[in-house]
Amino acid sequence: MLSDDCVFCKIIKGQIPSTKVYEDEKMLVFKDIEPKANVHLLAVPKDHFKLLSQMDEIRAQTLSYMLAKIPQIAAQNGCANGYRLVINQGDDAGQTVFHLHIHILGGENLPW
Ligand code: AMP
Ligand code: ZN
């Protein structure tokens, strides 16, 4: 299910522009609008939920599917030499978009 007032749902629905690098029936990967590394992609499930704690069996399968797809997507988008995955959870992590997403950071030797 998608939400009417979520920026990533709007990107999935094509109501907000994005630079897509990969899309299939379960997930979308697009460029972060404020990149924090030379390569900064966001992988989002085509299902609106905020936190890992809201996962059920279907969502867990989708996340597993996404993790299996990410290596090839990363390698094809400038991260053949390695990358970092980040999932911010809640306020203390600075989560600003409340649609679960995986940051893919790379394209350089990342500072910690
Ligand atoms: P987080 O802090 O983990 O919630 O990350 C949200 C990320 O979404 C940030 O890195 C933002 O730069 C990015 N972001 C917000 N709006 C957009 C947008 N319209 N297109 C692409 N990236 C976005
Ligand atoms: Zn959403």
Side-chain angles (χ1 to χ4, degrees), residues 4-78:
D4 285 338
D5 55 2
C6 163
V7 61
F8 290 172
C9 284
K10 287 182 178 169
I11 286 174
I12 290 166
K13 288 186 275 191
Q15 295 170 349
I16 291 179
S18 67
T19 305
K20 297 177 185 179
V21 304
Y22 178 81
E23 181 167 21
D24 65 25
E25 72 283 4
K26 290 187 169 65
M27 66 187 284
L28 174 65
V29 184
F30 54 95
K31 293 188 179 178
D32 195 293
I33 204 166
E34 284 180 45
K36 282 93 184 166
N38 280 347
V39 176
H40 188 172
L41 306 174
L42 298 171
V44 302
K46 290 186 171 178
D47 176 26
H48 178 87
F49 65 104
K50 174 180 172 182
L51 294 166
L52 289 170
S53 57
Q54 295 167 333
M55 287 218 296
D56 55 19
E57 191 56 39
I58 300 285
R59 288 170 174 169
Q61 281 174 19
T62 302
L63 201 65
S64 170
Y65 174 87
M66 291 172 66
L67 288 170
K69 287 281 181 190
I70 281 173
Q72 190 179 7
I73 297 165
Q76 289 171 344
N77 286 278

Side-chain angles (χ1 to χ4, degrees), residues 76-89:
Q76 289 171 344
N77 286 278
C79 296
N81 208 35
Y83 53 92
R84 179 173 297 150
L85 303 183
V86 173
I87 306 178
N88 288 325
Q89 295 290 280

